[in-house]
Amino acid sequence: MIALRSTLAGRIFLTVASTVILLFLALPIVLIVVTSFGKDAFGAFPPDSWTLGWYKVLFADGSKWPAALSLSALIASLTTAFSLLLGITAATALVRSNLPLRSAVYGLVLAPLVIPQVVIALGLFLLFEPAAMLGSPIAIALGHTVLASPIAVMILMATLKGIDERLEDAAASMGAGRLTVARRITLPLAMPGMIAAAVFSFITSFDEFFISQFLSSVDTTTLPVQVFNVLQFDVDPSVTAVSAVLIAIAVLALVLVAAVRRLGGGGKQDGLLPTEPAVGLSTGSEPS
Amino acid sequence: MAGSVLAPAPPAAGPKAPAVSQGRLRRALSERRTRFGLLNAAPVVIYLLVLFVYPIFSTLLLSLKGEGGGWTLHWYADALQGSNLKVLLTTLRISAETSLLSLVIGFLLAAAVSRLKPLWAGLVMIIVIVPHFISALVRTYGWIILLGEHGVINDALTDLGVPGAPFQMLYNELGVVIGTTSVMLPYTVLLLYAVMKGIDRRLPAAAASMGAGRLTIFRRVYLPMVAPGLVNAGILCFILCLGYYLTPALMGGPKQAMVASLISEQVMKQSQWNGAAALGIILLLLTFGGLLLLRLIKVLSEAAKNRGIS
């Protein structure tokens, strides 16, 4: 790229190319949001006339969407609770203790991120089917936690590493017990990271498709499974509005994390965004 | 133990006693830290053993079980022939195409961003990262609206009077590769951006001062430094594509069926669990192969680096 960069033509080429690539990333999303307000849901762009009709249809009588939305929210909340619990303990063990076989434990924790999700879903199906737990929101949440907890662990590890251990030592030397130190020193400092971990666990579960599909039953259909079914089998224009709602939820969640990060003043706390699940594995980086 | 610390030491052992008890104290403290670690690691380890390792292990067992109850490789033979083999090869082909395209596009974007000022680079990275957290299902739907026969692009092309429009861009491999690439792109951009950010800019400058031309600098200085990142990103992207499902299922035709859809179909529609398990294990082995390759390349490149230094 050095070669391209230093000539005018090269610079123009790079600028145009990256603009096109950014459009490639953003256009499908922008399009859905705009179309969801258009009168003709599958039609012209930009729409000829505007309406909120598709959003009203979502909550009309007989609509399947409210049930799917509340089921997904329930499952995502359970998943968030589970993966925070696992994440806090695991991150503490990996960052603040001499854990035997630490890199093996770290590898195990990150493994679900690179194993094909269909394999995890199939395995969970084989586990829950004999237990007659298919369709149980708890089973689906337990499954989602397999995917969400690695992300929570990574965020919380970054958070813990960003907290100066000497603050905890200082409190302990002043006579604070272990619980007091955790409650009055570590917890407040770790709050931005905890909120980020919670938000990303929630989104992971809320968007998850494979495990939900394999573990669902006729009357437990999560939102993504419902969207998939509509896209694959029927034509239901209100799916545009659902998609726009999903986009709004994801964007709001990211804004929340960014805001918490800024308010927390956590200049030190890098890695609150689990931008790259797989990067940790690819670079072979280990907790230090 | 406490006694030995508090009690006055016998004169003969005087110089030694404190050292011993300090060693003991340190050992006790370290044991405590170990116990603390084990206690805290236990929940996640137990959780993943029960809900991640064991299920995959039972998938493996199921893939080796014959209908009569004995052991068999029948399901693997089944998975590696006929239409199943075709699906497997399609999966490999689509994954390769997608990875290659993501690498090229990701390289261009990452290179362009790595020369921007921090503020602009930050803004561009937001456009890369935000879609990553928006449901892939939703983004795929966006592509369907965009690429359909009466989609936004075809409408525009028809209005412009482009000959041949509308083009078939959906329910074929072109659609699948476009859609899947847009899902994978954030990964490659982030990985390559991290590598490019880490490159010492003085090196190309030094090469230039020695009289190297632009192309020579690119080929002999820049590219070798980015190469490990490219290989990394390519393999990772390939692995992630192997098990991918949503976009091929929605944007492809029957010819673009991938292994994950086949597994899903065998479980959901045909209750053919053994066959699905064998396909899952094959997918898993391919993934392990990719991860192993990553590891190998890392070890080799480190060895080469060390040789270069000494």
Side-chain angles (χ1 to χ4, degrees), chain A residues 6-26:
Chain A
S6 23
T7 61
L8 181 65
R11 243 180 273 172
I12 293 174
F13 169 74
L14 264 190
T15 312
V16 172
S18 33
T19 311
V20 172
I21 297 168
L22 291 176
L23 276 178
F24 177 75
L25 283 164

Side-chain angles (χ1 to χ4, degrees), chain A residues 3-60:
Chain A
L4 279 176
R5 231 177 253 171
S6 23
T7 61
L8 181 65
R11 243 180 273 172
I12 293 174
F13 169 74
L14 264 190
T15 312
V16 172
S18 33
T19 311
V20 172
I21 297 168
L22 291 176
L23 276 178
F24 177 75
L25 283 164
L27 207 56
I29 299 162
V30 174
L31 202 73
I32 283 191
V33 176
V34 174
T35 317
S36 72
F37 294 107
K39 201 136 210 156
D40 180 6
F42 296 110
F45 182 86
D48 306 325
S49 54
W50 305 87
T51 173
L52 282 173
W54 305 122
Y55 291 90
K56 283 187 200 141
V57 173
L58 291 189
F59 296 100

Side-chain angles (χ1 to χ4, degrees), chain A residues 1-7 11 13-14 17-19 21-22 24-29 31-32 35 41-45 82 85-86 88-90 92-93 95-100 105 108-109 111-120 122-129 141-143 145-146 149 153 165 178 200 203 207 209-210 213-215 223-225 227-228 231-233 236-237 239-240 242-244 246-247 250-251 254 273-279 281-286, chain B residues 29-41 43-45 47-56 58-59 62 104-109 111-112 114-115 124 127-146 150 152 155 177-179 181-182 185-187 189-191 196 201 204 214-215 217-218 222 232 236 239-240 242-246 249-250 259-261 263-264 267-269 273 276-277 279-281 283-284 287-288 291 294-295 298:
Chain A
M1 290 301 106
I2 306 279
L4 279 176
R5 231 177 253 171
S6 23
T7 61
R11 243 180 273 172
F13 169 74
L14 264 190
S18 33
T19 311
I21 297 168
L22 291 176
F24 177 75
L25 283 164
L27 207 56
I29 299 162
L31 202 73
I32 283 191
T35 317
F42 296 110
F45 182 86
F82 295 158
L85 202 69
L86 294 177
I88 291 167
T89 48
T92 310
V95 177
R96 290 282 157 86
S97 78
N98 19 354
L99 181 67
V105 172
L108 174 70
V109 168
L113 294 178
V114 282
I115 301 300
Q117 289 184 12
V118 63
V119 177
I120 301 174
L122 176 60
L124 289 166
F125 174 81
L126 296 175
L127 182 73
F128 286 124
E129 205 277 340
L142 287 172
T145 305
V146 174
S149 58
V153 174
E165 218 171 329
R178 195 177 260 188
F200 287 116
I203 300 187
D207 277 349
F209 173 78
F210 250 124
Q213 192 200 29
F214 273 57
L215 299 185
L223 202 53
V225 176
V227 170
F228 182 81
L231 289 183
Q232 209 176 25
F233 304 115
D236 175 0
V239 77
T240 320
V242 176
S243 302
L246 286 173
I247 293 171
V251 170
L254 288 174
L273 283 183
T275 41
E276 246 3 82
V279 167
L281 284 184
S282 72
T283 53
S285 66
E286 274 171 18
Chain B
L29 215 64
S30 133
E31 268 167 29
R32 214 174 118 185
R33 276 182 74 102
T34 307
R35 264 204 312 276
F36 177 67
L38 287 174
L39 199 71
N40 275 295
V44 84
V45 170
Y47 192 90
L48 289 175
L49 285 179
V50 175
L51 281 131
F52 175 65
V53 177
Y54 171 73
I56 290 177
S58 54
T59 307
L62 190 67
V104 172
I105 299 181
F107 185 88
L108 278 173
L109 187 60
S114 69
R115 56 165 272 144
V124 172
I127 302 182
V128 175
I129 291 171
V130 170
H132 181 63
F133 290 103
I134 291 174
S135 162
L137 192 58
V138 168
R139 284 182 283 156
T140 302
Y141 181 43
W143 278 114
I144 294 175
I145 298 182
L146 211 56
H150 298 289
V152 175
D155 274 0
V177 172
I178 290 177
T181 299
S182 82
L185 193 57
Y187 289 97
V189 175
L190 287 166
L191 281 168
M196 287 171 180
R201 290 183 163 239
R214 288 191 200 112
L215 263 179
I217 296 175
F218 178 68
Y222 192 71
N232 248 339
L236 256 176
I239 293 174
L240 292 173
L242 284 177
Y244 194 55
Y245 172 72
L246 288 174
L250 291 172
V259 174
S261 349
I263 293 175
S264 165
V267 173
M268 301 295 174
K269 294 192 186 137
W273 300 359
L279 283 167
I281 297 299
L283 205 55
L284 197 64
T287 307
F288 280 151
L291 289 173
L294 270 182
R295 197 81 209 162
K298 184 166 187 266

Side-chain angles (χ1 to χ4, degrees), chain A residues 128-144:
Chain A
F128 286 124
E129 205 277 340
M133 280 177 77
L134 292 187
S136 138
I138 301 246
I140 299 175
L142 287 172
H144 285 180

